[in-house]
Amino acid sequence: MQRPIEPFRIKMVEPLKMIGRQERDQIIRDAGFNIFKISAESVFIDLLTDSGTSAMSDYQWAGLMTGDESYAQCRNFFHLQETVQDITGFDHLIPTHQGRAAESILFSTILKEGDCVPNNIHFDTTRANVEYRRAEALNTVIDEAYDPESEVPFKGNIDLEKLESAIKQYGADRIPVVMVTVTNNSGGGQPVSMENIRRTKELCRKYDIMFFFDACRFAENCYFIKQREKGYQDKSIKVIAQEMFSYADGCTMSAKKDGLVNIGGFIALRDEDLARRLKNLLILTEGFPTYGGLAGRDLEAMSRGLEEVLQEDYLHYRIQQTAYLGWLLDQAGIPVMKPFGGHAIYVDAKKLVTHIPQSQFPGQALTVALYREGGVRAVEVGNMMFASRHTETGEWIYPDLDLVRLAIPRRVYTASHLEYAADALVRIKENIDALKGLKIIYEPPFLRHFTAILSEIG
Ligand SMILES: *Cc1c(COP(=O)(O)O)cnc(C)c1O
């Protein structure tokens, strides 16, 4: 595979500290074998998340200086509104400080107890915000999404039969909105096809239900459509995005992904009356409707990021870079989920680390090894994150997959950095039997992966 070429040159650098192996060993022990507790300065290559970790361009940094910090009606709001209207066609823009604030405001306004919100797969914060309103967050993705071996091109698609039977079961009046997450983050950053979006819209129209995108990675999704779906090869990313949003009534957005900024988000929508109701809550929790918890300069950086993310050179590099890391690992015989998603590569730890039973956290053991071996930080998405106890027997129920996610920040690392990370994994594979299982010494009652303390077995 061709080495991806970065379509930018480097104007400012942030030095990375390469610390010795012995020191790393001490650091991971002191962190209780939990990579969330390692100070970021002790990490050489940080692949923990692609959220809020993007590098801004000179155009965005210059935009910060044009920030209008007036309380009401600042000029950067109007610039952002124009940009969002141009891409989405949605008239009403409601800025928020990040994606989950947008979700909270939307769901607090439209959901009531006992409602249901279908999605391909709900992202954690989306699910939590739906459930907090005592409504059900239902996943209706196609079955192939759960099969790491399946190589269908649009693995994030909605299963339209599942969706329609949910609508019939709940009744349309108990489903205030159907959402589609592009790309499908929790399903490995897999795209949704335009055809599937169109048919989802038709179903929503038939039952008179609102249709929203969780649009965090909309540009990456559009790039996949251009690459993989018939009839889109000659269209620009912006035209594809405009068509995609034309089918929806609105979206929630975390600009920490395809907004190419470190903080920011929004809701955009068509319905004026709903926009008014959302703004009432926004004023209470986030701020005045033209700044929504952000500084004027942040709105400007977001606006410029949304323009830049549509550039095809950028998207080509972005998707290519992720695929390159996947390819390097695949070539070396490391089991990875396919097809490669937009923002991350997932290593199948259960397949790679066969000598550690799932009860001893093979995925977590691999993240520990990655830090020890190369100062690379990745995150376990498996037993540590998702295991639950059976409500009656109290026995552990482990998730089907035990994955390690290598998420790629946007415009931050070069091809050499990725090769370095891949090499570290290859060296680990060559000596895989040296990995030790882990046991939990302390765990909090929920979201244990963030703060748990572990120790090595044997
Ligand atoms: C990140 C993310 C969110 C939440 O956004 P935050 O900015 O982290 O609050 C919601 N949905 C998806 C699909 C995401 O990836």
Side-chain angles (χ1 to χ4, degrees):
M1 181 182 170
Q2 219 175 350
R3 205 165 188 262
I5 177 83
E6 294 79 17
F8 50 80
R9 55 185 174 177
I10 295 162
K11 186 177 306 213
M12 193 199 286
V13 297
E14 182 183 0
L16 294 173
K17 201 163 77 178
M18 173 64 109
I19 56 180
R21 195 191 162 93
Q22 255 183 342
E23 201 184 333
R24 287 200 300 267
D25 183 61
Q26 193 55 50
I27 288 171
I28 191 72
R29 287 174 188 281
D30 292 346
F33 301 94
N34 183 344
I35 53 88
F36 282 102
K37 296 189 162 193
I38 300 172
S39 81
E41 286 197 311
S42 311
V43 174
F44 188 62
I45 308 270
D46 203 345
L47 305 182
L48 178 58
T49 177
D50 68 321
S51 176
T53 52
S54 302
M56 294 205 296
S57 66
D58 52 356
Y59 177 59
Q60 285 177 292
W61 279 103
L64 294 185
M65 292 306 293
T66 71
D68 169 359
E69 307 305 342
S70 308
Y71 190 90
Q73 317 293 345
C74 71
R75 70 169 163 255
N76 314 104
F77 170 79
F78 295 104
H79 184 201
L80 178 63
Q81 188 174 46
E82 222 173 87
T83 309
V84 172
Q85 275 172 356
D86 184 30
I87 297 170
T88 65
F90 302 147
D91 282 335
H92 304 285
L93 171 71
I94 298 169
T96 60
H97 81 277
Q98 61 184 90
R100 67 198 69 183
E103 292 162 359
S104 164
I105 286 168
L106 176 68
F107 295 138
S108 301
T109 306
I110 65 172
L111 293 188
K112 54 185 190 313
E113 191 171 337
D115 282 350
C116 170
V117 180
N119 201 330
N120 37 6
I121 301 184
H122 284 273
F123 181 66
D124 335 6
T125 62
T126 320
R127 166 172 297 277
N129 270 299
V130 169
E131 290 175 352
Y132 188 67
R133 316 311 311 173
R134 296 180 189 283
E136 189 185 344
L138 185 72
N139 294 338
T140 56
V141 74
I142 54 171
D143 289 338
E144 289 92 329
Y146 299 106
D147 174 5
E149 313 273 310
S150 160
E151 292 220 33
V152 298
F154 291 101
K155 228 170 160 176
N157 277 359
I158 293 267
D159 184 325
L160 294 150
E161 280 174 23
K162 281 187 204 168
L163 177 59
E164 186 156 24
S165 67
I167 296 172
K168 285 181 177 153
Q169 183 198 332
Y170 279 86
D173 55 328
R174 282 176 59 205
I175 302 185
V177 66
V178 167
M179 294 194 80
V180 171
T181 305
V182 286
T183 58
N184 187 24
N185 184 1
S186 305
Q190 300 291 335
V192 182
S193 74
M194 192 72 88
E195 192 204 351
N196 191 255
I197 290 167
R198 200 180 303 125
R199 290 177 61 191
T200 303
K201 168 66 192 172
E202 279 162 16
L203 208 54
C204 290
R205 187 183 292 132
K206 177 172 159 192
Y207 290 97
D208 197 19
I209 298 172
M210 270 201 310
F211 173 33
F212 266 56
F213 285 114
D214 180 340
C216 302
R217 296 175 183 81
F218 75 96
E220 291 173 7
N221 199 85
C222 290
Y223 184 79
F224 280 118
I225 288 175
K226 180 164 175 141
Q227 294 297 305
R228 297 180 182 173
E229 193 162 351
K230 208 166 151 254
Y232 291 92
Q233 275 67 31
D234 298 325
K235 293 191 171 155
S236 73
I237 298 296
K238 187 161 149 187
V239 164
I240 296 172
Q242 285 167 334
E243 181 184 339
M244 193 178 94
F245 285 110
S246 76
Y247 299 119
D249 299 296
C251 69
T252 56
M253 173 81 187
S254 167
K256 296 171 74 172
K257 288 72 176 236
D258 274 354
L260 296 176
V261 288
N262 307 113
I263 196 74
F266 59 81
I267 307 171
L269 72 165
R270 297 187 199 281
D271 185 327
E272 186 171 359
D273 179 57
L274 178 56
R276 204 173 289 134
R277 286 161 58 212
L278 297 173
K279 282 181 203 170
N280 289 338
L281 187 55
L282 185 84
I283 290 180
L284 195 65
T285 59
E286 289 278 289
F288 189 78
T290 57
Y291 75 83
L294 293 166
R297 56 178 174 269
D298 295 330
L299 300 173
E300 188 60 34
M302 206 194 315
S303 174
R304 294 180 181 213
L306 289 169
E307 289 168 34
E308 287 184 349
V309 80
L310 298 174
Q311 288 167 7
E312 198 151 337
D313 281 354
Y314 158 73
L315 283 169
H316 179 73
Y317 143 79
R318 167 77 180 151
I319 302 301
Q320 185 91 354
Q321 193 186 34
T322 307
Y324 183 58
L325 177 61
W327 179 81
L328 288 171
L329 300 177
D330 192 34
Q331 287 292 299
I334 293 168
V336 281
M337 273 184 70
K338 289 190 210 164
F340 306 134
H343 67 289
I345 292 298
Y346 295 74
V347 177
D348 189 338
K350 220 159 71 171
K351 260 202 197 148
L352 179 63
V353 193
T354 48
H355 67 289
I356 299 178
Q358 224 179 339
S359 60
Q360 295 179 13
F361 306 100
Q364 187 77 11
L366 191 56
T367 65
V368 168
L370 252 174
Y371 181 71
R372 264 196 184 125
E373 183 63 37
V376 177
R377 178 153 68 173
V379 64
E380 190 251 28
V381 182
N383 180 6
M384 191 68 200
M385 200 178 263
F386 294 128
S388 56
R389 276 187 192 278
H390 193 281
T391 41
E392 279 151 33
T393 64
E395 266 175 66
W396 281 108
I397 308 166
Y398 302 123
D400 290 342
L401 296 173
D402 218 70
L403 304 173
V404 168
R405 185 182 80 170
L406 306 162
I408 305 183
R410 293 170 181 76
R411 303 192 293 206
V412 170
Y413 293 120
T414 63
S416 328
H417 287 122
L418 298 183
E419 286 162 9
Y420 171 92
D423 286 348
L425 252 171
V426 173
R427 288 195 302 276
I428 291 168
K429 176 178 180 272
E430 283 161 5
N431 198 11
I432 199 78
D433 292 337
L435 263 61
K436 291 178 179 166
L438 297 160
K439 63 170 188 270
I440 291 187
I441 293 182
Y442 160 78
E443 66 181 308
F446 50 85
L447 294 174
R448 67 176 180 177
H449 53 286
F450 289 125
T451 53
I453 299 173
L454 300 98
S455 73
E456 280 185 320
I457 299 170

